């Protein structure tokens, strides 16, 4: 009798274990099925359906972190459920504060808040330093790039420059595609020197990427290296070279180089002709700007610029005979003084009358900036 009882008990326990396994298998199968449907909905861009399906998956497997994370992602992707998404993510973060994916999603939510910059930066950096289940090096690079774009979008230029430098340090020198991305970010942060350093080697290979050529030409242009900029752009296919922004830089480079009396290889006569043209242009510019500003705020920058133009106009009048083309060719030592006054005039006029700056005035002003070590 005891033996029969023991056998029955063993059979009941075995049956219970079997039924429990079958139940768990069925529950997990249902959870996985709902999750698979949700994944498909996300892929199709149907986030509302995905949210409902992930919720169903969690009914059958409420403690599965991957389902919680994907539900949080879907909620955040709608753009209307950040608070609920953040609640799920904070719970996951509490359990795994070093998770790269969780920190990235929290960073994106913080980035959408008008006052969430400090919080966003903290989570972005945690994502960069965090653990990634797949391709950690690649994922960290992507997060750095996203952080740079976020800072640029929100107008934080200095922070963007620092983060872009960090991105550059983590980009292999033989990865041309990623180097171009970094170079373009450096252009957006106005870091012309580093951008040129990125693009220059990429633009001189046998078959350069046109984007690298554009980057090198743009950086050189903004550094006042107009001959180099011209030469870079000359390597582009005609269709790319004729795009409005590139064509404008080429035209300006041509104008600056055509006005520069300091270029090597010029004859004394050509230097004198260019200096004389600069003096004539600056004289007209000074007079025009003075006449268009009969009054200005006392002690303001415009008033100071007008006063400078008045002094320059008087000096031009006094030196008119000495700085004509014949005398500049006969006495080359006068050229520097003439050009210095022309540069001073264009600089002051740019402050007082920038709106009326002609293409030739702009070329002379840019040449002045180059000669004084300034960049665009």
């Amino acid at each position: 009798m005891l033996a029969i009882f023991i056998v029955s008990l063993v059979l009941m326990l075995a049956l219970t274990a079997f039924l429990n396994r079958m139940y768990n298998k069925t529950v997990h199968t249902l959870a996985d099925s709902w999750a698979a449907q949700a994944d498909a909905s996300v892929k199709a861009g149907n986030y509302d359906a995905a949210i409902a399906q992930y919720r169903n998956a969690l009914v059958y497997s409420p403690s599965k972190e991957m389902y919680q994370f994907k539900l949080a992602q879907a909620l955040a992707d709608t753009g209307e459920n950040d608070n609920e998404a953040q609640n799920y993510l904070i719970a996951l973060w509490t359990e795994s504060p070093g998770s790269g994916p969780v920190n990235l999603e929290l960073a994106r939510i913080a980035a959408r808040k008008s006052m969430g910059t400090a919080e966003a930066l903290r989570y972005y950096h945690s994502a960069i330093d965090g653990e990634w289940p797949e391709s950690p090096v690649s994922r960290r690079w992507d997060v750095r790039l996203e952080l740079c774009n976020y800072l640029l979008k929100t107008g934080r230029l200095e922070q963007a420059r620092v983060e872009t430098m960090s991105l550059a340090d983590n980009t292999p020198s033989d990865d041309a595609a990623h180097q171009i991305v970094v170079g373009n970010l450096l252009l957006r942060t106005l870091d012309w020197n580093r951008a040129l350093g990125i693009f220059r080697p990429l633009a001189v290979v046998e078959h350069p990427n046109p984007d690298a050529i554009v980057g090198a030409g743009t950086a050189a242009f903004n550094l006042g290296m107009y001959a180099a900029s011209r030469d870079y752009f000359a390597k582009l296919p005609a269709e790319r070279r004729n795009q409005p922004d590139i064509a404008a830089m080429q035209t300006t480079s041509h104008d600056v180089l055509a006005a520069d009396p300091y270029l090597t290889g010029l004859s004394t006569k050509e230097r004198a002709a260019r200096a004389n043209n600069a003096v004539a242009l600056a004289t007209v510019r000074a007079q025009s700007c003075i006449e268009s500003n009969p009054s200005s705020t006392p002690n303001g920058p415009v008033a100071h610029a007008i006063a400078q133009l008045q002094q320059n106009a008087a000096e031009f009048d006094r030196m008119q005979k000495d700085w004509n083309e014949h005398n500049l060719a006969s006495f080359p030592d006068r050229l520097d003084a003439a050009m210095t006054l022309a540069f001073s005039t264009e600089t002051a006029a740019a402050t007082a009358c920038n709106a009326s700056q002609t293409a030739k005035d702009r070329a002379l002003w840019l040449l002045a900036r180059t000669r004084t070590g300034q960049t665009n």
Side-chain angles (χ1 to χ4, degrees):
M1 202 58 191
L2 179 60
I4 294 174
F5 174 75
I6 292 174
V7 170
S8 298
L9 180 61
V10 170
L11 289 172
M12 288 179 63
L13 290 172
L15 179 61
T16 300
F18 172 76
L19 292 173
N20 187 56
R21 286 196 300 272
M22 291 300 296
Y23 172 77
N24 287 333
K25 182 178 180 180
T26 301
V27 166
H28 287 304
T29 298
L30 287 170
D32 290 342
S33 176
W34 281 113
Q37 293 179 56
D39 291 344
S41 295
V42 167
K43 190 173 181 180
N46 189 350
Y47 296 110
D48 289 336
I51 289 169
Q53 291 156 347
Y54 283 132
R55 291 191 196 281
N56 287 337
L58 284 168
V59 168
Y60 294 103
S61 189
S63 61
K64 190 155 186 176
E65 292 183 351
M66 181 54 68
Y67 296 165
Q68 296 172 25
F69 177 70
K70 288 186 173 183
L71 173 58
Q73 280 186 311
L75 288 165
D77 286 339
T78 65
E80 300 175 355
N81 300 284
D82 279 350
N83 289 338
E84 186 179 0
Q86 190 174 37
N87 289 338
Y88 276 106
L89 291 167
I90 289 296
L92 292 169
W93 184 90
T94 302
E95 294 297 321
S96 302
S99 167
V102 170
N103 277 290
L104 177 57
E105 291 301 324
L106 285 167
R108 288 170 173 170
I109 291 174
R112 288 195 285 272
K113 298 177 181 178
S114 60
M115 301 297 289
T117 302
E119 187 179 12
L121 288 175
R122 184 173 72 252
Y123 283 126
Y124 270 123
H125 285 132
S126 294
I128 291 168
D129 297 332
E131 299 174 358
W132 292 88
E134 297 178 357
S135 306
V137 174
S138 175
R139 294 297 291 121
R140 289 175 183 130
W141 194 93
D142 290 341
V143 176
R144 288 183 191 276
L145 174 61
E146 185 173 322
L147 171 57
C148 293
N149 281 316
Y150 163 66
L151 291 169
L152 284 167
K153 181 181 178 181
T154 53
R156 293 168 172 83
L157 194 64
E158 288 301 322
Q159 288 176 289
R161 186 176 292 121
V162 171
E163 295 296 343
T164 302
M165 289 167 57
S166 180
L167 182 66
D169 290 340
N170 285 274
T171 304
S173 59
D174 60 351
D175 187 341
H178 281 144
Q179 286 284 341
I180 288 173
V181 172
V182 172
N184 284 325
L185 280 174
L186 289 167
L187 291 179
R188 292 172 63 193
T189 65
L190 312 185
D191 195 340
W192 313 120
N193 275 305
R194 285 192 177 86
L196 185 57
I198 291 285
F199 286 123
R200 183 188 286 118
L202 300 175
V204 297
V205 297
E206 187 174 355
H207 298 291
N209 185 314
D211 291 336
I213 297 173
V214 170
T218 302
F221 177 86
N222 284 285
L223 285 168
M225 301 166 60
Y226 298 107
S229 179
R230 174 201 60 195
D231 293 344
Y232 281 126
F233 289 139
K235 297 180 180 181
L236 290 171
E239 182 179 351
R240 189 74 180 272
R241 192 168 60 247
N242 293 330
Q243 289 180 348
D245 55 337
I246 296 173
M249 284 188 280
Q250 291 180 94
T251 298
T252 299
S253 294
H254 176 272
D255 290 345
V256 172
L257 293 170
D260 189 354
Y262 295 105
L263 290 181
T264 57
L266 295 180
S267 66
T268 300
K269 182 178 180 180
E270 178 62 21
R271 292 183 193 280
R274 292 188 178 201
N276 178 250
N277 288 337
V279 167
L281 185 68
T283 300
V284 172
R285 176 72 161 147
Q287 194 59 44
S288 174
C289 191
I290 292 168
E291 291 173 356
S292 64
N293 284 275
S295 62
S296 56
T297 304
N299 300 319
V302 172
H304 285 295
I306 293 298
Q308 182 66 60
L309 289 172
Q310 290 169 337
Q311 292 178 24
N312 289 6
E315 184 67 6
F316 281 133
D317 186 61
R318 189 176 72 84
M319 300 299 295
Q320 184 176 11
K321 291 182 178 179
D322 288 345
W323 289 349
N324 62 37
E325 185 174 340
H326 173 76
N327 283 334
L328 287 170
S330 300
F331 305 98
D333 57 316
R334 297 178 181 178
L335 187 142
D336 283 346
M339 291 304 301
T340 297
L341 197 65
F343 289 155
S344 170
T345 299
E346 290 294 348
T347 300
T351 299
C353 310
N354 186 53
S356 62
Q357 190 181 52
T358 67
K360 289 185 177 180
D361 285 315
R362 174 172 167 77
L364 192 54
W365 172 70
L366 289 172
L367 183 57
R369 290 172 63 83
T370 300
R371 296 293 297 180
T372 56
Q374 300 180 66
T375 57
N376 298 349

